Amino acid sequence: MSSVGGADASRPEGGVAGAPVRPRLGPRTDVALMAGYHSPQVDVDVRLNVNESPFPPPPEFLDAVADAVTKVGWHRYPDRAALRLRSKIAAAHGVDAGQVFVANGSNEVLQTLSLTYGGAGRSVAVFEPTYALHSHIARLTGATVAEGARADDFALDVTEVRRVVAEAAPALTYLCSPNNPTGLVETPETVREVLALVPGLLVVDEAYGQFAPWSALELVDDDTPLVVTRTFSKTWSMAAARLGYLVGPSWVVDELQKVVLPYHLDALKQVAGILALDHVAAMESRVAHLVEERGRLEAALRDLPCEVWPSGANFILFRPTSRAGAEVWRALLDHSVLVRDCSSWPRLDGCLRVTVGTTDEDDRFLAALREILR
Ligand code: PMP
């Protein structure tokens, strides 16, 4: 039997008895070789692994959404351009609605960017260690990933940026500020320097932007090849809603709108985003509380046998120095505390990442960690 597009006759499908065994069609060769994105969802008491907000959104928001559910025109397609939502986000950032693109989580924003500007024959630059989805999505779209290395302290090294840009001439260059998983915030000077170097678009992923002291949003205008991505998943306490956006030049947004699927953003999500923006003060007070809690958590980690990286986000990267990271991760799980195991990621040997939770959750995490590292 001939093999079609990577079909693998050694892995037959279980079929009807007596019927000829059909080979399974394999995926694209590059996809077959990929490990995929893994983040275990385990049922535990204390979930500090995916940088969610530990607090739900305000009850008034939930009431308003409940009311809106009854008013959605369920039999009609949603507003394809999501204009009310984009206008409200735009007003919050002092830009035009035409400079805002919205999608199902900022991951879909990143995917649409890669589909539009990446793809076969183009390259995408990333500086590791950073958010794994930047390179993963770029590869899925067929782009070549040009990987630069961060300095020993995980700061961005502009000489390395210059090298990668000169070698690869990337269509897209990704920065992540604060950077996941290290927590480091890029300085305005660094972002400006990189912006001056890149031949294509600079993407600054600010999924954790509100936890940081400054934002690259201030550099966005229609004459600058810069886009800043944001999400409702973290600071807005809306990870379940899957809503993200970017702010950038209108000529970029116009191209993204061509590429994203028609009616990609459902009506309820659009209205949830609009209603969330009525609660800016509540969001800012949650952020302020988490930033304070982050300071307490960081100080407590520094009292333990751990290397700790300073963070401008709602998580902290640390490396236990007296026991292997993977062992500590497992022991924390035995205490029903789930953190992110980064210990096998490149350059992050033995590292774990903990999300800032409620005071109680952080206390439980710290108590467990003290016992494990005792
Ligand atoms: N960017 C970064 C840096 C992230 O850490 C995440 C979430 N882990 C995302 C983007 C995607 O977030 P979402 O799709 O929930 O908006």
Side-chain angles (χ1 to χ4, degrees):
M1 198 179 284
S2 69
S3 158
V4 184
D8 178 359
S10 66
R11 294 166 53 217
E13 268 175 11
V16 182
V21 174
R22 292 171 49 167
R24 281 186 187 169
L25 176 67
R28 285 171 11 198
T29 313
D30 55 340
V31 172
L33 293 171
M34 282 175 185
Y37 182 73
H38 299 284
S39 176
Q41 284 192 306
V42 187
D43 196 15
V44 287
D45 292 346
V46 182
R47 259 165 60 172
L48 303 174
N49 62 326
V50 282
N51 306 335
E52 296 154 322
S53 171
F55 307 112
E60 307 81 57
F61 163 78
L62 300 176
D63 290 344
V65 171
D67 186 44
V69 172
T70 62
K71 300 195 175 110
V72 165
W74 290 98
H75 58 309
R76 301 292 183 195
Y77 281 108
D79 173 13
R80 185 168 168 188
L83 208 56
R84 277 183 62 212
L85 174 59
R86 288 166 63 206
S87 302
K88 201 149 173 186
I89 294 170
H93 292 303
V95 297
D96 293 334
Q99 292 176 288
V100 175
F101 173 75
V102 282
N104 293 282
S106 53
N107 278 340
E108 196 186 34
V109 175
L110 302 173
Q111 184 187 52
T112 313
L113 275 167
S114 255
L115 285 168
T116 309
Y117 291 99
R122 291 193 167 198
S123 64
V124 172
V126 298
F127 297 90
E128 300 288 1
T130 191
Y131 183 46
L133 264 280
H134 296 157
S135 52
H136 180 65
I137 293 171
R139 287 193 180 96
L140 282 172
T141 68
T144 302
V145 174
E147 262 182 39
R150 286 169 180 271
D152 286 345
D153 61 356
F154 298 141
L156 195 72
D157 172 357
V158 178
T159 311
E160 174 72 345
V161 177
R162 203 171 277 119
R163 179 191 70 77
V164 170
V165 164
E167 273 176 25
L172 290 174
T173 299
Y174 278 102
L175 295 185
C176 188
S177 179
N179 188 32
N180 181 5
T182 61
L184 256 71
V185 180
E186 304 302 350
T187 64
E189 295 70 37
T190 305
V191 175
R192 277 202 193 86
E193 258 185 283
V194 175
L195 190 53
L197 288 173
V198 298
L201 269 188
L202 177 63
V203 183
V204 181
D205 181 336
E206 288 193 356
Y208 307 93
Q210 291 96 328
F211 294 108
W214 85 285
S215 167
L217 281 166
E218 67 187 50
L219 305 176
V220 170
D221 65 43
D222 252 7
D223 301 319
T224 308
L226 164 74
V227 299
V228 177
T229 66
R230 289 260 171 130
T231 179
F232 280 75
S233 299
K234 320 290 180 181
T235 44
W236 287 99
S237 295
M238 285 170 63
R242 311 300 301 120
L243 181 59
Y245 63 94
L246 71 68
V247 181
S250 51
W251 46 269
V252 172
V253 173
D254 290 346
E255 299 302 328
L256 300 178
Q257 297 285 22
K258 284 191 215 164
V259 170
V260 77
L261 291 174
Y263 312 109
H264 67 298
L265 214 64
D266 71 73
L268 188 54
K269 181 174 316 195
Q270 292 190 30
V271 96
I274 290 165
L275 294 171
L277 290 161
D278 289 336
H279 300 279
V280 175
M283 181 275 282
E284 285 174 350
S285 105
R286 285 193 303 272
V287 168
H289 176 85
L290 288 170
V291 167
E292 203 179 316
E293 180 65 10
R294 178 181 77 202
R296 185 181 80 91
L297 189 58
E298 186 186 326
L301 280 169
R302 286 191 192 283
D303 276 344
L304 290 167
C306 291
E307 190 177 352
V308 183
W309 280 268
S311 171
N314 66 337
F315 56 81
I316 298 173
L317 184 74
F318 68 101
R319 178 188 279 136
T321 47
S322 55
R323 280 186 75 176
E327 241 176 73
V328 174
W329 181 83
R330 174 51 47 209
L332 283 168
L333 198 56
D334 292 340
H335 285 77
S336 207
V337 176
L338 182 62
V339 299
R340 196 69 193 264
D341 182 5
C342 316
S343 63
S344 61
W345 300 2
R347 308 262 317 268
L348 296 178
D349 223 18
C351 288
L352 303 177
R353 190 196 67 195
V354 61
T355 305
V356 180
T358 62
T359 308
D360 280 356
E361 287 173 328
D362 296 340
D363 282 344
R364 271 198 64 178
F365 158 73
L366 287 167
L369 190 63
R370 275 187 203 107
E371 197 183 309
I372 293 161
L373 297 181
R374 198 171 45 201

